[in-house]
Amino acid sequence: MTARPNLPIPRLSLWLTYAGMLAERELRAFWPFFSISMAILAALMLGLQDHVRVEVVWAVGAVAGLGLLVALIWGIRRFHFPSRAEALVRLDESLPGRPIQALLDEQVIGAMDADSVALWHAHQTRMAQRAAQAEPVKPDLRLADRDPYALRYSALLALVIAVLFGSVWRIGSVTEMAPGAAVAGQGPSWEGWVEPPRYTGLPTLYLADQSDPMLSVPQGSRVTLRFYGEVGAHSLTETTSPLGAEDRTEPEQEFVAERSGTLTIDGPSGRDWALQVIADTAPQVAVTEDAESEAGGQMKLPFAATDDYGVVSGSALVELDLPAVDRRYGLITDPEPRDVIEVELPMPIIGDRADFTEDLIEDFSEHPWAHLPVKITLMVRDAADQESQSDPYMTQLPARRFFDPLAAAVIEQRRDLLWARDNASRVAQILRAVSHLPEDVFRSDTAYLRLRVTLRRLETFNDYGLTSEQQEEIAQALWDLAVLIEEGTLADALERMRRAQERLTEAMKNGATDEEIAELMQELREATQDYMRQLQRLAQENGEFDENQQGQNGETLQMTQDDLQRMMDRIQELMEQGRMAEAQQALEEFQQMMENMRITQGQGQGQQSEGQQAMEGLAETLREQQGLSDQAFRDLQEQFNPGAQAGESQGNEGRNGGLGRGQSHEGQGGQGQGSDQTDGGGHPGQDSLADRQQALRDELGRQQQNLPGAGTPEGDAARDALGRAGRAMDEAEDALRSDDLAEAIDRQSEAMEALREGMRSLGEALAQNQQNQPGQGSQQGDMQATNRDPLGRSPGANGSISTDDNLLQGEDVYRRARELLDEIRRRTGETDRPQIELEYLKRLLERF
């Protein structure tokens, strides 16, 4: 094929195609040579020759050079330059119709025919246009068929790594490794490093670069030496390691510098140094301030620790200082042996641990040594496993303080019990004396009953020998009781405010800390705010001011709140200044103001309305208790006669009775229909009945707080009766949790009888109040005066149920009502009665 000079082909496309073919043939011929070259350069730049013996370096170099030569000869034999014709063919193959070949062809047939010649020229013109649009052909640089293992890419990757992390100057080090060459004038024939312990954070020293004859290194530094050349040409003498070394000639040597001494390398380019070993000092720790109690009872003990390189960990040991204990009362008995308390010291999370200050915060409130003399010893350890202890710190172990006298007494007996089990009899005797007259001591019946239950368990355990597990159980119960007495369970805002005032008074008498005073003042502020909000809401509900008066009353209320806030700020300021007498007087004025506000708020409210609510609540509680008792009785029947309940349940499903499907009083925590969890046999579990009994007891406690008639004989009698009912409920709950259904039923019967007696006394108190305040009877009193019901009323004339006959007054009306309710419940339990009668009786129970 002969190329014509007038071919309409872009010269650039032709030359680029030619260059691509040249690169393609060079790569296919010389890729082994390029790969070996890149691998050799990568190894030299990374300094691999410095890690093997010189003989190995030259042997590998000879093999690499031979391989490089073979690859070069193989590539030269396979390579040949592409011609212009081959470039035209490559370019023509990329075009449709092979236009370049068409332009190189000549017309053979029809050359004498004008039409054929015209057609030929048209074809040539069209092919010339296609050839003028030719683009350069990309070379085929793929070598997968020749290099299936991608060795060229491996060599390229090694070269890239060497360029990034190696050095071109390392290639010249090969010329210094000629066997037998004189190395005296070319640098040291040895290498050495001094590596300090890692925890010091100090850098490694390269001995050949150290010009100072005196080296200071940390204790425990590791010295590594390497001798190159003929064995024996260099030797080591050192006096810093435990055993020392003299004229040692091994090629590689290593030792740890433990003491100051000398290091000498004898031989060509030999050196010597005086090593000064810096000893690792032991850490130090000390208490910086007095231990104090946080607001929540945690101990706060500031301490400081130092070390030359950093403290790793630490601990605090707390042990009882028995000689300093005031051995009185329950502490006269020898204490039971207890392990020393060990807690971890807090370490800085960030920052330097060489010199820091931290606070040890731990809660020892429940420990038997709380508030007793103890000895606290701090211990720290550094990275070299060196330990140091602080001087013993003597203090009273800080813990939570109880300001309620009864709670403090319970905590003291708990401490005596944990001090020694031999104190169990004494603790039981004191607790029994404390609970002898609960009305004068306990504010909450729940706390009293918990104390009695704990006391009975303690006496029972003590009779059979109190074990350590039982000791811990009783101690935990006493702790929970003290917390209950201290914090209280009342949600009433007024009671919370009174308790906060009492706790603050006790805190002032007992010398509370600033943190405790701040916490108690915050509690008083919150309780007072809740009480004021309750007063405002109650005034709005009772309609004591209309919208026209709202602004004036709102301003008065806001002014009162501001005055109270200023008074509380003044009390806190006086207490913080240590002026406790003035603070006590200000607190009494605050209490008097709040009491006057409570009395003023109580004026104008109808006593009859409170009486109605109290009577309705007690009646609901009585119905709930009856339902629980009925359920417990059926469960007892089921235990002795399985399957008997199925035949009776259909006709014995009264309100809050039957299968326990009653609706609990609001706020009582009871469950709705189907709320009881049943066991496999379909009977409500005892835990569910016990929980319902506990909720009913809590509701009765709430009703006792709002009971009217205080100060009258009838009102006091009602409170005493309800107190007995509450204690009976607690005993019933304990019996239910112990699965003693018979005992539970007996206690529930006592509770119901006490409830009825309380309702009767309350009714007498309300009736007495009505007689003392004529004209202020409630709507219910009017109806009782004008209507007669199953208690003995008779219908009047003209369709009216009113009559002129007097209704039973005083005790008779409530006694008669109780008798009727008891008779209705008895008849409801008789399943042989007609179904229509049973349904009527159920409706009566649900109504009354």
Side-chain angles (χ1 to χ4, degrees), residues 325-335 372 408-409 411-417 419-420 422-427 430:
V325 176
D326 187 7
R327 304 293 294 275
R328 294 189 300 169
Y329 309 120
L331 303 181
I332 298 177
T333 308
D334 292 335
L372 292 180
I411 286 298
E412 181 179 353
Q413 298 310 306
R414 174 184 181 271
R415 180 205 63 189
D416 294 346
L417 180 62
W419 180 264
D422 295 339
N423 288 332
S425 300
R426 178 181 178 277
V427 171
I430 294 177

PDB file of all heavy atoms in Angstrom, residues 325-335 372 408-409 411-417 419-420 422-427 430:
ATOM      1  N   VAL A 325     -14.089   6.120 119.231  1.00  0.00           N
ATOM      2  CA  VAL A 325     -15.549   5.984 119.273  1.00  0.00           C
ATOM      3  C   VAL A 325     -16.037   6.196 120.697  1.00  0.00           C
ATOM      4  O   VAL A 325     -15.440   5.677 121.669  1.00  0.00           O
ATOM      5  CB  VAL A 325     -15.980   4.600 118.758  1.00  0.00           C
ATOM      6  CG1 VAL A 325     -17.483   4.415 118.883  1.00  0.00           C
ATOM      7  CG2 VAL A 325     -15.556   4.433 117.304  1.00  0.00           C
ATOM      8  N   ASP A 326     -17.112   6.953 120.832  1.00  0.00           N
ATOM      9  CA  ASP A 326     -17.742   7.159 122.133  1.00  0.00           C
ATOM     10  C   ASP A 326     -18.550   5.907 122.471  1.00  0.00           C
ATOM     11  O   ASP A 326     -19.666   5.714 121.982  1.00  0.00           O
ATOM     12  CB  ASP A 326     -18.642   8.400 122.080  1.00  0.00           C
ATOM     13  CG  ASP A 326     -19.200   8.761 123.455  1.00  0.00           C
ATOM     14  OD1 ASP A 326     -18.795   8.133 124.450  1.00  0.00           O
ATOM     15  OD2 ASP A 326     -20.050   9.678 123.532  1.00  0.00           O
ATOM     16  N   ARG A 327     -17.985   5.063 123.305  1.00  0.00           N
ATOM     17  CA  ARG A 327     -18.585   3.747 123.573  1.00  0.00           C
ATOM     18  C   ARG A 327     -19.715   3.891 124.594  1.00  0.00           C
ATOM     19  O   ARG A 327     -19.573   3.570 125.788  1.00  0.00           O
ATOM     20  CB  ARG A 327     -17.504   2.785 124.078  1.00  0.00           C
ATOM     21  CG  ARG A 327     -16.320   2.638 123.141  1.00  0.00           C
ATOM     22  CD  ARG A 327     -16.731   1.959 121.846  1.00  0.00           C
ATOM     23  NE  ARG A 327     -17.130   0.598 122.065  1.00  0.00           N
ATOM     24  CZ  ARG A 327     -16.281  -0.439 122.125  1.00  0.00           C
ATOM     25  NH1 ARG A 327     -14.985  -0.228 121.943  1.00  0.00           N
ATOM     26  NH2 ARG A 327     -16.713  -1.664 122.329  1.00  0.00           N
ATOM     27  N   ARG A 328     -20.838   4.365 124.109  1.00  0.00           N
ATOM     28  CA  ARG A 328     -22.017   4.493 124.961  1.00  0.00           C
ATOM     29  C   ARG A 328     -23.202   3.837 124.279  1.00  0.00           C
ATOM     30  O   ARG A 328     -23.209   3.629 123.068  1.00  0.00           O
ATOM     31  CB  ARG A 328     -22.325   5.956 125.250  1.00  0.00           C
ATOM     32  CG  ARG A 328     -21.280   6.678 126.084  1.00  0.00           C
ATOM     33  CD  ARG A 328     -21.784   8.045 126.503  1.00  0.00           C
ATOM     34  NE  ARG A 328     -22.093   8.894 125.360  1.00  0.00           N
ATOM     35  CZ  ARG A 328     -22.740  10.053 125.439  1.00  0.00           C
ATOM     36  NH1 ARG A 328     -23.172  10.485 126.622  1.00  0.00           N
ATOM     37  NH2 ARG A 328     -22.968  10.770 124.365  1.00  0.00           N
ATOM     38  N   TYR A 329     -24.216   3.539 125.089  1.00  0.00           N
ATOM     39  CA  TYR A 329     -25.466   2.979 124.590  1.00  0.00           C
ATOM     40  C   TYR A 329     -25.194   1.701 123.788  1.00  0.00           C
ATOM     41  O   TYR A 329     -24.559   0.771 124.293  1.00  0.00           O
ATOM     42  CB  TYR A 329     -26.225   4.023 123.767  1.00  0.00           C
ATOM     43  CG  TYR A 329     -26.387   5.346 124.487  1.00  0.00           C
ATOM     44  CD1 TYR A 329     -25.861   6.518 123.961  1.00  0.00           C
ATOM     45  CD2 TYR A 329     -27.051   5.414 125.709  1.00  0.00           C
ATOM     46  CE1 TYR A 329     -26.000   7.727 124.625  1.00  0.00           C
ATOM     47  CE2 TYR A 329     -27.196   6.621 126.386  1.00  0.00           C
ATOM     48  CZ  TYR A 329     -26.669   7.767 125.838  1.00  0.00           C
ATOM     49  OH  TYR A 329     -26.797   8.954 126.498  1.00  0.00           O
ATOM     50  N   GLY A 330     -25.624   1.682 122.564  1.00  0.00           N
ATOM     51  CA  GLY A 330     -25.459   0.457 121.786  1.00  0.00           C
ATOM     52  C   GLY A 330     -24.040   0.203 121.338  1.00  0.00           C
ATOM     53  O   GLY A 330     -23.736  -0.885 120.836  1.00  0.00           O
ATOM     54  N   LEU A 331     -23.153   1.185 121.503  1.00  0.00           N
ATOM     55  CA  LEU A 331     -21.766   1.010 121.079  1.00  0.00           C
ATOM     56  C   LEU A 331     -20.886   0.430 122.181  1.00  0.00           C
ATOM     57  O   LEU A 331     -19.677   0.288 121.990  1.00  0.00           O
ATOM     58  CB  LEU A 331     -21.190   2.358 120.611  1.00  0.00           C
ATOM     59  CG  LEU A 331     -21.953   3.056 119.485  1.00  0.00           C
ATOM     60  CD1 LEU A 331     -21.265   4.353 119.106  1.00  0.00           C
ATOM     61  CD2 LEU A 331     -22.085   2.140 118.278  1.00  0.00           C
ATOM     62  N   ILE A 332     -21.468   0.108 123.331  1.00  0.00           N
ATOM     63  CA  ILE A 332     -20.682  -0.497 124.410  1.00  0.00           C
ATOM     64  C   ILE A 332     -20.223  -1.885 124.016  1.00  0.00           C
ATOM     65  O   ILE A 332     -19.094  -2.301 124.291  1.00  0.00           O
ATOM     66  CB  ILE A 332     -21.517  -0.531 125.710  1.00  0.00           C
ATOM     67  CG1 ILE A 332     -21.862   0.904 126.151  1.00  0.00           C
ATOM     68  CG2 ILE A 332     -20.788  -1.289 126.801  1.00  0.00           C
ATOM     69  CD1 ILE A 332     -22.731   0.963 127.386  1.00  0.00           C
ATOM     70  N   THR A 333     -21.072  -2.618 123.312  1.00  0.00           N
ATOM     71  CA  THR A 333     -20.736  -3.976 122.894  1.00  0.00           C
ATOM     72  C   THR A 333     -19.578  -3.933 121.899  1.00  0.00           C
ATOM     73  O   THR A 333     -19.450  -2.997 121.105  1.00  0.00           O
ATOM     74  CB  THR A 333     -21.960  -4.639 122.239  1.00  0.00           C
ATOM     75  OG1 THR A 333     -23.073  -4.517 123.113  1.00  0.00           O
ATOM     76  CG2 THR A 333     -21.699  -6.102 121.932  1.00  0.00           C
ATOM     77  N   ASP A 334     -18.734  -4.965 121.967  1.00  0.00           N
ATOM     78  CA  ASP A 334     -17.639  -5.057 120.998  1.00  0.00           C
ATOM     79  C   ASP A 334     -18.212  -5.192 119.589  1.00  0.00           C
ATOM     80  O   ASP A 334     -19.118  -6.000 119.357  1.00  0.00           O
ATOM     81  CB  ASP A 334     -16.748  -6.255 121.317  1.00  0.00           C
ATOM     82  CG  ASP A 334     -15.991  -6.057 122.626  1.00  0.00           C
ATOM     83  OD1 ASP A 334     -15.791  -4.896 123.010  1.00  0.00           O
ATOM     84  OD2 ASP A 334     -15.627  -7.065 123.260  1.00  0.00           O
ATOM     85  N   PRO A 335     -17.690  -4.418 118.640  1.00  0.00           N
ATOM     86  CA  PRO A 335     -18.273  -4.456 117.282  1.00  0.00           C
ATOM     87  C   PRO A 335     -17.916  -5.744 116.556  1.00  0.00           C
ATOM     88  O   PRO A 335     -16.883  -6.377 116.825  1.00  0.00           O
ATOM     89  CB  PRO A 335     -17.634  -3.240 116.607  1.00  0.00           C
ATOM     90  CG  PRO A 335     -16.323  -3.063 117.310  1.00  0.00           C
ATOM     91  CD  PRO A 335     -16.564  -3.472 118.736  1.00  0.00           C
ATOM     92  N   LEU A 372     -19.375   8.007 112.468  1.00  0.00           N
ATOM     93  CA  LEU A 372     -18.454   7.511 113.482  1.00  0.00           C
ATOM     94  C   LEU A 372     -17.027   7.895 113.111  1.00  0.00           C
ATOM     95  O   LEU A 372     -16.722   8.126 111.943  1.00  0.00           O
ATOM     96  CB  LEU A 372     -18.574   5.984 113.614  1.00  0.00           C
ATOM     97  CG  LEU A 372     -19.885   5.451 114.202  1.00  0.00           C
ATOM     98  CD1 LEU A 372     -19.844   3.935 114.264  1.00  0.00           C
ATOM     99  CD2 LEU A 372     -20.151   6.031 115.580  1.00  0.00           C
ATOM    100  N   ALA A 408     -34.153  10.194 113.196  1.00  0.00           N
ATOM    101  CA  ALA A 408     -32.804  10.084 113.749  1.00  0.00           C
ATOM    102  C   ALA A 408     -32.712   8.960 114.774  1.00  0.00           C
ATOM    103  O   ALA A 408     -31.697   8.241 114.851  1.00  0.00           O
ATOM    104  CB  ALA A 408     -32.402  11.420 114.384  1.00  0.00           C
ATOM    105  N   ALA A 409     -33.773   8.764 115.571  1.00  0.00           N
ATOM    106  CA  ALA A 409     -33.773   7.671 116.543  1.00  0.00           C
ATOM    107  C   ALA A 409     -33.764   6.314 115.852  1.00  0.00           C
ATOM    108  O   ALA A 409     -33.064   5.386 116.275  1.00  0.00           O
ATOM    109  CB  ALA A 409     -34.986   7.807 117.460  1.00  0.00           C
ATOM    110  N   ILE A 411     -32.552   5.662 112.893  1.00  0.00           N
ATOM    111  CA  ILE A 411     -31.218   5.482 112.306  1.00  0.00           C
ATOM    112  C   ILE A 411     -30.209   5.079 113.380  1.00  0.00           C
ATOM    113  O   ILE A 411     -29.316   4.255 113.144  1.00  0.00           O
ATOM    114  CB  ILE A 411     -30.788   6.774 111.596  1.00  0.00           C
ATOM    115  CG1 ILE A 411     -31.567   6.926 110.288  1.00  0.00           C
ATOM    116  CG2 ILE A 411     -29.306   6.763 111.293  1.00  0.00           C
ATOM    117  CD1 ILE A 411     -31.333   5.825 109.290  1.00  0.00           C
ATOM    118  N   GLU A 412     -30.341   5.642 114.568  1.00  0.00           N
ATOM    119  CA  GLU A 412     -29.418   5.272 115.650  1.00  0.00           C
ATOM    120  C   GLU A 412     -29.587   3.809 116.032  1.00  0.00           C
ATOM    121  O   GLU A 412     -28.600   3.090 116.235  1.00  0.00           O
ATOM    122  CB  GLU A 412     -29.665   6.171 116.862  1.00  0.00           C
ATOM    123  CG  GLU A 412     -28.734   5.863 118.022  1.00  0.00           C
ATOM    124  CD  GLU A 412     -28.962   6.768 119.217  1.00  0.00           C
ATOM    125  OE1 GLU A 412     -29.762   7.714 119.080  1.00  0.00           O
ATOM    126  OE2 GLU A 412     -28.348   6.520 120.272  1.00  0.00           O
ATOM    127  N   GLN A 413     -30.823   3.334 116.102  1.00  0.00           N
ATOM    128  CA  GLN A 413     -31.037   1.914 116.422  1.00  0.00           C
ATOM    129  C   GLN A 413     -30.557   1.019 115.278  1.00  0.00           C
ATOM    130  O   GLN A 413     -30.064  -0.088 115.514  1.00  0.00           O
ATOM    131  CB  GLN A 413     -32.517   1.667 116.702  1.00  0.00           C
ATOM    132  CG  GLN A 413     -33.048   2.447 117.891  1.00  0.00           C
ATOM    133  CD  GLN A 413     -32.159   2.291 119.122  1.00  0.00           C
ATOM    134  OE1 GLN A 413     -31.864   1.169 119.546  1.00  0.00           O
ATOM    135  NE2 GLN A 413     -31.739   3.420 119.693  1.00  0.00           N
ATOM    136  N   ARG A 414     -30.690   1.491 114.064  1.00  0.00           N
ATOM    137  CA  ARG A 414     -30.154   0.717 112.938  1.00  0.00           C
ATOM    138  C   ARG A 414     -28.637   0.599 113.048  1.00  0.00           C
ATOM    139  O   ARG A 414     -28.060  -0.465 112.793  1.00  0.00           O
ATOM    140  CB  ARG A 414     -30.543   1.411 111.619  1.00  0.00           C
ATOM    141  CG  ARG A 414     -29.937   0.794 110.382  1.00  0.00           C
ATOM    142  CD  ARG A 414     -30.298   1.608 109.149  1.00  0.00           C
ATOM    143  NE  ARG A 414     -29.725   1.007 107.952  1.00  0.00           N
ATOM    144  CZ  ARG A 414     -28.510   1.284 107.487  1.00  0.00           C
ATOM    145  NH1 ARG A 414     -27.750   2.160 108.143  1.00  0.00           N
ATOM    146  NH2 ARG A 414     -28.049   0.696 106.399  1.00  0.00           N
ATOM    147  N   ARG A 415     -27.994   1.702 113.430  1.00  0.00           N
ATOM    148  CA  ARG A 415     -26.535   1.646 113.603  1.00  0.00           C
ATOM    149  C   ARG A 415     -26.150   0.656 114.697  1.00  0.00           C
ATOM    150  O   ARG A 415     -25.211  -0.132 114.555  1.00  0.00           O
ATOM    151  CB  ARG A 415     -26.024   3.038 113.946  1.00  0.00           C
ATOM    152  CG  ARG A 415     -24.520   3.125 114.153  1.00  0.00           C
ATOM    153  CD  ARG A 415     -24.158   4.299 115.036  1.00  0.00           C
ATOM    154  NE  ARG A 415     -24.729   4.154 116.376  1.00  0.00           N
ATOM    155  CZ  ARG A 415     -24.712   5.102 117.300  1.00  0.00           C
ATOM    156  NH1 ARG A 415     -24.182   6.276 117.024  1.00  0.00           N
ATOM    157  NH2 ARG A 415     -25.248   4.896 118.495  1.00  0.00           N
ATOM    158  N   ASP A 416     -26.898   0.670 115.820  1.00  0.00           N
ATOM    159  CA  ASP A 416     -26.584  -0.254 116.910  1.00  0.00           C
ATOM    160  C   ASP A 416     -26.778  -1.703 116.482  1.00  0.00           C
ATOM    161  O   ASP A 416     -25.996  -2.583 116.877  1.00  0.00           O
ATOM    162  CB  ASP A 416     -27.469   0.056 118.121  1.00  0.00           C
ATOM    163  CG  ASP A 416     -27.158   1.431 118.719  1.00  0.00           C
ATOM    164  OD1 ASP A 416     -26.106   2.002 118.359  1.00  0.00           O
ATOM    165  OD2 ASP A 416     -27.972   1.932 119.512  1.00  0.00           O
ATOM    166  N   LEU A 417     -27.796  -1.954 115.673  1.00  0.00           N
ATOM    167  CA  LEU A 417     -28.022  -3.324 115.213  1.00  0.00           C
ATOM    168  C   LEU A 417     -26.907  -3.786 114.293  1.00  0.00           C
ATOM    169  O   LEU A 417     -26.453  -4.941 114.367  1.00  0.00           O
ATOM    170  CB  LEU A 417     -29.375  -3.398 114.496  1.00  0.00           C
ATOM    171  CG  LEU A 417     -29.763  -4.778 113.939  1.00  0.00           C
ATOM    172  CD1 LEU A 417     -29.896  -5.788 115.063  1.00  0.00           C
ATOM    173  CD2 LEU A 417     -31.056  -4.695 113.140  1.00  0.00           C
ATOM    174  N   TRP A 419     -23.913  -2.592 114.376  1.00  0.00           N
ATOM    175  CA  TRP A 419     -22.680  -2.613 115.159  1.00  0.00           C
ATOM    176  C   TRP A 419     -22.406  -4.023 115.688  1.00  0.00           C
ATOM    177  O   TRP A 419     -21.282  -4.522 115.619  1.00  0.00           O
ATOM    178  CB  TRP A 419     -22.809  -1.611 116.304  1.00  0.00           C
ATOM    179  CG  TRP A 419     -21.600  -1.515 117.197  1.00  0.00           C
ATOM    180  CD1 TRP A 419     -21.415  -2.168 118.381  1.00  0.00           C
ATOM    181  CD2 TRP A 419     -20.443  -0.708 117.005  1.00  0.00           C
ATOM    182  NE1 TRP A 419     -20.211  -1.833 118.933  1.00  0.00           N
ATOM    183  CE2 TRP A 419     -19.578  -0.929 118.103  1.00  0.00           C
ATOM    184  CE3 TRP A 419     -20.050   0.183 116.014  1.00  0.00           C
ATOM    185  CZ2 TRP A 419     -18.353  -0.300 118.228  1.00  0.00           C
ATOM    186  CZ3 TRP A 419     -18.833   0.808 116.129  1.00  0.00           C
ATOM    187  CH2 TRP A 419     -17.990   0.563 117.224  1.00  0.00           C
ATOM    188  N   ALA A 420     -23.441  -4.642 116.222  1.00  0.00           N
ATOM    189  CA  ALA A 420     -23.298  -6.010 116.734  1.00  0.00           C
ATOM    190  C   ALA A 420     -24.676  -6.637 116.830  1.00  0.00           C
ATOM    191  O   ALA A 420     -25.646  -5.982 117.248  1.00  0.00           O
ATOM    192  CB  ALA A 420     -22.606  -6.021 118.094  1.00  0.00           C
ATOM    193  N   ASP A 422     -25.569  -8.691 118.913  1.00  0.00           N
ATOM    194  CA  ASP A 422     -25.943  -8.813 120.325  1.00  0.00           C
ATOM    195  C   ASP A 422     -26.838  -7.661 120.769  1.00  0.00           C
ATOM    196  O   ASP A 422     -27.488  -7.764 121.827  1.00  0.00           O
ATOM    197  CB  ASP A 422     -24.678  -8.848 121.193  1.00  0.00           C
ATOM    198  CG  ASP A 422     -23.834 -10.086 120.919  1.00  0.00           C
ATOM    199  OD1 ASP A 422     -24.397 -11.076 120.385  1.00  0.00           O
ATOM    200  OD2 ASP A 422     -22.614 -10.065 121.206  1.00  0.00           O
ATOM    201  N   ASN A 423     -26.887  -6.586 120.004  1.00  0.00           N
ATOM    202  CA  ASN A 423     -27.750  -5.450 120.348  1.00  0.00           C
ATOM    203  C   ASN A 423     -29.185  -5.641 119.888  1.00  0.00           C
ATOM    204  O   ASN A 423     -29.996  -4.724 120.059  1.00  0.00           O
ATOM    205  CB  ASN A 423     -27.199  -4.168 119.718  1.00  0.00           C
ATOM    206  CG  ASN A 423     -25.931  -3.679 120.402  1.00  0.00           C
ATOM    207  OD1 ASN A 423     -25.734  -3.928 121.583  1.00  0.00           O
ATOM    208  ND2 ASN A 423     -25.079  -2.975 119.649  1.00  0.00           N
ATOM    209  N   ALA A 424     -29.509  -6.778 119.289  1.00  0.00           N
ATOM    210  CA  ALA A 424     -30.847  -6.965 118.723  1.00  0.00           C
ATOM    211  C   ALA A 424     -31.931  -6.838 119.791  1.00  0.00           C
ATOM    212  O   ALA A 424     -32.965  -6.183 119.582  1.00  0.00           O
ATOM    213  CB  ALA A 424     -30.933  -8.320 118.019  1.00  0.00           C
ATOM    214  N   SER A 425     -31.717  -7.441 120.960  1.00  0.00           N
ATOM    215  CA  SER A 425     -32.734  -7.373 122.019  1.00  0.00           C
ATOM    216  C   SER A 425     -32.921  -5.939 122.494  1.00  0.00           C
ATOM    217  O   SER A 425     -34.052  -5.477 122.699  1.00  0.00           O
ATOM    218  CB  SER A 425     -32.321  -8.272 123.191  1.00  0.00           C
ATOM    219  OG  SER A 425     -32.199  -9.618 122.767  1.00  0.00           O
ATOM    220  N   ARG A 426     -31.826  -5.222 122.656  1.00  0.00           N
ATOM    221  CA  ARG A 426     -31.916  -3.832 123.097  1.00  0.00           C
ATOM    222  C   ARG A 426     -32.613  -2.973 122.046  1.00  0.00           C
ATOM    223  O   ARG A 426     -33.460  -2.133 122.383  1.00  0.00           O
ATOM    224  CB  ARG A 426     -30.513  -3.293 123.364  1.00  0.00           C
ATOM    225  CG  ARG A 426     -30.486  -1.830 123.782  1.00  0.00           C
ATOM    226  CD  ARG A 426     -29.060  -1.357 124.018  1.00  0.00           C
ATOM    227  NE  ARG A 426     -29.031   0.045 124.380  1.00  0.00           N
ATOM    228  CZ  ARG A 426     -29.062   1.053 123.513  1.00  0.00           C
ATOM    229  NH1 ARG A 426     -29.109   0.775 122.218  1.00  0.00           N
ATOM    230  NH2 ARG A 426     -29.049   2.302 123.913  1.00  0.00           N
ATOM    231  N   VAL A 427     -32.282  -3.173 120.773  1.00  0.00           N
ATOM    232  CA  VAL A 427     -32.926  -2.406 119.710  1.00  0.00           C
ATOM    233  C   VAL A 427     -34.419  -2.685 119.668  1.00  0.00           C
ATOM    234  O   VAL A 427     -35.247  -1.762 119.543  1.00  0.00           O
ATOM    235  CB  VAL A 427     -32.267  -2.731 118.355  1.00  0.00           C
ATOM    236  CG1 VAL A 427     -33.055  -2.117 117.209  1.00  0.00           C
ATOM    237  CG2 VAL A 427     -30.828  -2.232 118.329  1.00  0.00           C
ATOM    238  N   ILE A 430     -36.148  -0.858 122.571  1.00  0.00           N
ATOM    239  CA  ILE A 430     -36.276   0.592 122.358  1.00  0.00           C
ATOM    240  C   ILE A 430     -37.332   0.898 121.304  1.00  0.00           C
ATOM    241  O   ILE A 430     -38.142   1.821 121.462  1.00  0.00           O
ATOM    242  CB  ILE A 430     -34.907   1.178 121.971  1.00  0.00           C
ATOM    243  CG1 ILE A 430     -33.936   1.051 123.146  1.00  0.00           C
ATOM    244  CG2 ILE A 430     -35.046   2.631 121.547  1.00  0.00           C
ATOM    245  CD1 ILE A 430     -32.544   1.548 122.831  1.00  0.00           C
TER     246      ILE A 430
END
